Amino acid sequence: MDILTHLMDGFAAIFTPLVILAMVAGTVMGVLAGALPGLSATMGIAVLIPFTFGMEPLVALGLVAGIYNGAMYGGSIPAILLRIPGTPAGIATVFDGYPMTQQGRARQALRVSLYSSAFGSFVSALCLILLSPPLAALALKFGPSQFFWLAIFGMLCITAVLGGSLSKGLISTCAGLLMGLVGVDQITGAERYTFGSAHLVSGFSIIVVLTGLYAIPPALELAEKALRINRKDLDTGKSADDGFKMLSLLPVWLRSSVIGVIVGIMPGAGGNIAAVISWNEARRRAKAGDCYGKGDPKGVAAAECANNADTAATLIPALTLGVPGSAVAAVIMGVLLVHGLRPGPALFRDTAEITYGFMIAMGVTALMMIPIGALGSRLFINALRLPPLILAPGIIVLTSIGVFTVGNSIVEVWIMLIVGLVGYGMEKLQIPTAPAVLAIILGPMAESELRRSLLISGNDPAIFFTGVVNWIFILLIALMLALPLIRRRKARRAGTDKDKVET
């Protein structure tokens, strides 16, 4: 009964002119931030904090909710149109989104992404409102050993799925792990592989690496081959939707939402892991006629729904326990503290109206994305009409400005360009770049959780083989390693049978 009362108070507080205006403005700014390579929800909210001092708490939090949800959807726009994930969580959207653009179905891909993002965000907000205490308790059951296996599973998942060669996927993963080791040791505080440079003390920024690997190679390819989508294909974008019903994606949305919420409540995971796992799960369930990785709308739906279902879910441990599950959750905690709201159980008891109002705002801004995103998609699709000789340098300049804005460092711009050249070489050798990006994110997590587990157990490795959760992850990892071998064996058998028939 108390929850219903708090919800009614939250609704009354949210639907005021100033808060509604803040949510609309935040959603627009979020879509723009996500769509611009190098920018992110974390950066947008961090830049916003000083400007919220004079605002009412709910006005500020409505703005934050809009930026967060909008940026997660906005990251799919360049991922689909230009093969450049606007946010790290947009990596998996590239797998099917960009091939759809190459086939002249950009509008259909953007439409699928929009509705999938809105659905995932809204489901995540419902979970935040209704299931915060039990879901937070579930996340608490994961210790260092469970997070170690989760990180290993995440890296192997993308390595085994992407590309036709497991060895090339592992090469990319190892390259990412090496980059992830650069900087300060999280356990001892010692510097590693910095070569005396102060610029490497903090390691490689994921934004720098992401924009380098996913912005520079496409720009160089545009300049080299002068390829672009034909204007006629864009003009006939509406016909690409003929016969396609959005409700046919409902099973994918439901499954991806569950994955996104579960991953979201695990501190240290994130939308990128949720998107990859969801896409992989959708591909595993593929039926005859599905073409995952070659322009299947269900692939876009799985990735976008999952990474948006992560948004509000990642706030569950932050709001209820004061434990941020991601970088953006930590920044949002900063916004709460600025306004005198201390995250934790007391947040729901002492300031229930504001707390529930913020959670409701996460759901409302998810729905606001539909009209705002539809308008934004029509505007951003015009980027494909630019001649490649203008678009290529424009991408490089845009990403350079974005990277410089993040760290105010010209060194990071040079690092981005070098990483971009390396990524261009990897693509020429058909080595996938996504495993490297995920390894940079998950590698440090796996290392720190490994060492933390050994410290807790007194260097006894048995800690990694105790408990049901650990064994579930171990079995999943074994399955991921076995899949390429099973596929290769089936291919050989098929080839042998074919030779026998021909003989």
Side-chain angles (χ1 to χ4, degrees), residues 99-100 108 121 136 197 220-221 369 371 417 434 449 455 470 476:
M100 289 181 70
Q108 181 184 348
S121 295
S197 173
L220 294 177
E221 288 180 5
M369 282 196 299
L417 294 174
E449 299 300 345
L455 285 173
N470 280 340
L476 289 173

Side-chain angles (χ1 to χ4, degrees), residues 4 59 136 151 242 268 277 309 388 439 479 490 492 495:
L4 289 176
V59 176
D242 290 347
I277 292 176
L479 179 62
K490 284 184 177 180
R492 287 178 180 175

Side-chain angles (χ1 to χ4, degrees), residues 118-139:
F119 187 92
S121 295
F122 188 75
V123 170
S124 186
L126 287 179
C127 290
L128 176 64
I129 295 170
L130 302 176
L131 304 175
S132 289
L135 289 178
L138 177 64

Side-chain angles (χ1 to χ4, degrees), residues 18 39 52-53 115 144 159 257 286 322-323 363 381 390 462 479 484:
L18 275 178
L39 304 183
T52 65
F53 288 147
Y115 283 92
T159 300
S257 296
V323 179
I381 201 169
I390 295 177
L479 179 62

Side-chain angles (χ1 to χ4, degrees), residues 31-269:
V31 172
L32 291 174
L36 294 174
L39 304 183
S40 65
T42 306
M43 179 191 170
I45 297 170
V47 172
L48 174 74
I49 290 178
F51 300 99
T52 65
F53 288 147
M55 296 181 183
E56 292 293 324
L58 264 182
V59 176
L61 292 172
L63 198 62
V64 166
I67 291 177
Y68 192 8
N69 277 329
M72 293 303 290
Y73 158 67
S76 70
I77 296 174
I80 290 170
L81 299 183
L82 303 171
R83 206 186 64 171
I84 306 170
T87 61
I91 294 174
T93 307
V94 175
F95 302 161
D96 284 288
Y98 187 67
M100 289 181 70
T101 293
Q102 292 179 310
Q103 297 163 12
R105 297 188 292 156
R107 291 186 181 180
Q108 181 184 348
L110 289 168
R111 183 166 166 258
V112 168
S113 170
L114 175 60
Y115 283 92
S116 301
S117 298
F119 187 92
S121 295
F122 188 75
V123 170
S124 186
L126 287 179
C127 290
L128 176 64
I129 295 170
L130 302 176
L131 304 175
S132 289
L135 289 178
L138 177 64
L140 278 178
K141 294 182 180 180
F142 280 76
S145 60
Q146 285 80 26
F147 281 117
F148 167 75
W149 288 121
L150 173 65
I152 298 298
F153 172 70
M155 286 186 286
L156 284 178
C157 182
I158 189 71
T159 300
V161 169
L162 287 182
S165 172
L166 178 62
S167 59
K168 289 183 177 180
L170 289 174
I171 290 172
S172 181
T173 301
C174 289
L177 288 172
L178 286 174
M179 295 182 70
L181 291 174
V182 176
V184 176
D185 188 326
Q186 297 181 22
I187 302 297
T188 65
E191 293 183 11
R192 305 182 301 188
Y193 307 112
T194 59
F195 303 101
S197 173
H199 298 288
L200 295 177
V201 172
S202 58
F204 288 98
S205 167
I206 183 60
I207 293 178
V208 173
V209 174
L210 184 66
T211 53
L213 287 178
Y214 281 92
I216 305 303
L220 294 177
E221 288 180 5
L222 279 173
E224 177 188 4
K225 300 178 181 179
L227 293 177
R228 67 186 178 105
I229 299 298
N230 195 302
R231 286 174 181 264
K232 186 177 179 181
D233 294 330
L234 294 176
D235 293 338
T236 58
K238 289 183 179 179
S239 64
D241 290 338
D242 290 347
F244 181 79
K245 295 182 179 180
M246 203 63 63
L247 285 179
S248 65
L249 298 174
L250 187 59
V252 177
W253 287 346
L254 292 172
R255 184 170 59 246
S256 300
S257 296
V258 172
I259 293 173
V261 169
I262 292 174
V263 173
I265 64 173
M266 297 179 183

Side-chain angles (χ1 to χ4, degrees), residues 361-425:
M362 290 294 295
V364 172
T365 52
L367 298 178
M368 284 182 175
M369 282 196 299
I370 295 176
I372 293 172
L375 176 62
S377 296
R378 294 191 185 99
L379 294 175
F380 277 97
I381 201 169
N382 290 324
L384 291 176
R385 291 192 169 96
L386 290 172
L389 293 179
I390 295 177
L391 186 59
I395 292 172
I396 296 175
V397 170
L398 187 64
T399 52
S400 298
I401 293 172
V403 167
F404 182 79
T405 304
V406 170
N408 290 323
S409 172
I410 193 66
V411 175
E412 291 192 340
V413 176
W414 282 110
I415 291 174
M416 178 201 69
L417 294 174
I418 293 171
V419 170
L421 290 174
V422 172
Y424 181 71

